Amino acid sequence: MGKKKLNNSSNSNNNTSLNLDDLNLSPQKIAIIAALMTDVLQTNSVTVDKEQTVFVELTGSLRRKTRADQMVEEMKGMSFGEILEALTR
């Protein structure tokens, strides 16, 4: 596989580059990064214990939103009366 490079913006004045092959990204790591960047996964909590072990809890769903899910999302801020009125139109 060819070498892919990203410019490291904090060191761009020094003409240094970040080599993606040096990051040692597994398919699982790439999937997590992509899911975080596209809001499929959200960070629920970050905990550091007394041994300095870091625990990151991610939550999300792989299920695509249905039209019903989108409707419920739109109705979240509405009162029951407004929802009833919208359904009867």
Side-chain angles (χ1 to χ4, degrees), residues 26-39:
S26 67
Q28 295 86 350
K29 290 176 185 177
I30 293 169
I32 296 295
I33 292 167
L36 285 167
M37 291 178 68
T38 58
D39 289 330

Side-chain angles (χ1 to χ4, degrees), residues 69-84:
D69 293 330
Q70 293 169 352
M71 288 175 56
V72 168
E73 200 62 37
E74 291 171 8
M75 291 188 269
K76 276 189 176 177
M78 298 172 69
S79 69
F80 180 73
E82 291 171 323
I83 293 171
L84 190 57

Side-chain angles (χ1 to χ4, degrees), residues 1-88:
M1 177 153 98
K3 301 272 184 184
K4 296 179 184 170
K5 294 185 177 186
L6 291 176
N7 285 335
N8 188 344
S9 60
S10 63
N11 292 328
S12 60
N13 295 337
N14 299 334
N15 290 329
T16 60
S17 313
L18 177 63
N19 190 334
L20 292 180
D21 291 334
D22 292 339
L23 293 177
N24 195 23
L25 294 176
S26 67
Q28 295 86 350
K29 290 176 185 177
I30 293 169
I32 296 295
I33 292 167
L36 285 167
M37 291 178 68
T38 58
D39 289 330
V40 171
L41 288 175
Q42 293 82 36
T43 303
N44 192 40
S45 69
V46 178
T47 307
V48 180
D49 70 9
K50 61 185 175 183
E51 282 90 30
Q52 299 295 303
T53 303
V54 179
F55 299 92
V56 179
E57 182 180 353
L58 302 173
T59 57
S61 175
L62 297 176
R63 185 176 67 90
R64 293 188 187 266
K65 285 189 176 182
T66 64
R67 178 68 183 130
D69 293 330
Q70 293 169 352
M71 288 175 56
V72 168
E73 200 62 37
E74 291 171 8
M75 291 188 269
K76 276 189 176 177
M78 298 172 69
S79 69
F80 180 73
E82 291 171 323
I83 293 171
L84 190 57
E85 182 180 323
L87 291 173
T88 57

